[in-house]
């Protein structure tokens, strides 16, 4: 995808997620996601934080977290999830579909990856059958590399990821097959619900 296509894909992904979130039942906002320790409301608070916090505010939060991006993200997500209603969070996402935020060094492709991955944390965690459009999935997977795997802490030793709905493979070893979006979650270190992966090592990447 070119830059304009990526920008349009980001906006479409945010709008589609906002529509899905707006239809959730109240109790689903407190359901767990694939992000350990985060409910739906914490995940959405995290993905919308860049729209609600200035660069200066973010720097202050990072300093308070001792320079740890992960610690800052966790603290801010929990704080904002506690003070913002589901309607506030949906509005923050829907109203900022065209927001130009990109992760440091990630560009617009990084913004798409961020939104797609955390959207899947929610939908897969809730058991919702949402399929991310394959052109977006292809763009996100194109950015996955050994560096990405190290960043997420995924251990893919001895397995070869093979998407069943895209011409995409990663790694070497015993085949591990699944939808492209499920394999993306494997790359991101998530453990999936049972039945989503196929292969001799599927259980290794499946939640107990």
């Amino acid at each position: 995808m070119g830059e304009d296509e990526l920008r349009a894909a980001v906006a479409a992904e945010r709008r589609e997620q906002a529509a899905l979130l707006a239809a959730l039942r109240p109790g689903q906002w407190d359901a767990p996601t694939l992000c350990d320790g985060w409910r739906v409301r914490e995940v959405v608070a995290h993905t919308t934080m860049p729209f609600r916090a200035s660069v200066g505010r973010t720097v202050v939060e990072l300093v308070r977290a001792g320079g740890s991006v992960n610690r800052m993200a966790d603290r801010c997500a929990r704080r904002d999830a506690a003070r913002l209603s589901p309607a506030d969070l949906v509005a923050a996402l829907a109203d900022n579909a065209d927001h130009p935020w990109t992760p440091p060094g990630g560009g617009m492709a990084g913004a798409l990856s961020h939104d797609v991955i955390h959207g899947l944390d929610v939908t897969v965690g809730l058991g919702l059958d949402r399929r991310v459009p394959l052109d977006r999935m292809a763009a996100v997977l194109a950015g996955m590399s050994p560096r990405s795997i190290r960043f997420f802490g995924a251990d893919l030793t001895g397995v070869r990821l093979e998407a069943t709905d895209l011409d995409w493979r990663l790694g070497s070893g015993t085949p591990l097959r699944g939808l492209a979006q499920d394999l993306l979650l494997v790359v991101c270190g998530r453990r999936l619900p049972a039945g989503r992966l196929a292969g001799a090592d599927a259980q290794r990447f499946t939640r107990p």
Side-chain angles (χ1 to χ4, degrees), residues 22-109:
L24 293 183
R25 300 185 303 275
Q28 289 178 297
W29 283 88
D30 293 316
T33 69
L34 298 190
C35 284
D36 289 337
W38 281 5
R39 301 166 296 172
V40 171
R41 63 177 70 243
E42 276 84 23
V43 172
V44 183
H46 171 68
T47 58
T48 59
M49 179 186 168
F51 315 143
R52 296 181 283 99
S54 67
V55 173
R57 183 75 235 170
T58 302
V59 170
V60 169
E61 295 291 353
L62 186 58
V63 170
R64 286 180 175 174
S68 169
V69 173
N70 289 337
R71 191 180 304 122
M72 177 194 73
D74 185 65
R75 182 161 63 188
C76 290
R78 293 178 187 279
R79 178 200 64 204
D80 293 348
R83 69 182 182 84
L84 296 171
S85 69
D88 292 332
L89 293 169
V90 169
L93 186 58
D95 294 347
N96 289 283
D98 296 304
H99 195 284
W101 174 83
T102 60
M108 197 55 64

Side-chain angles (χ1 to χ4, degrees), residues 139-171:
V140 173
L141 288 170
M144 293 297 111
S145 65
R147 180 182 178 185
S148 306
I149 296 169
R150 289 194 300 272
F151 174 79
F152 289 112
D155 179 9
L156 304 182
T157 306
V159 296
R160 176 179 173 82
L161 306 184
E162 298 181 355
T164 57
D165 54 344
L166 271 180
D167 183 15
W168 181 82
R169 299 166 188 81
L170 180 70

Side-chain angles (χ1 to χ4, degrees), residues 111-156:
L112 180 62
S113 296
H114 186 261
D115 290 342
V116 166
I117 292 165
H118 284 306
L120 289 170
D121 284 329
V122 170
T123 56
V124 175
L126 288 175
L128 302 178
D129 188 26
R130 184 200 178 222
R131 299 286 183 91
V132 178
L134 288 178
D135 61 335
R136 293 178 212 164
M137 283 306 313
V140 173
L141 288 170
M144 293 297 111
S145 65
R147 180 182 178 185
S148 306
I149 296 169
R150 289 194 300 272
F151 174 79
F152 289 112
D155 179 9
L156 304 182

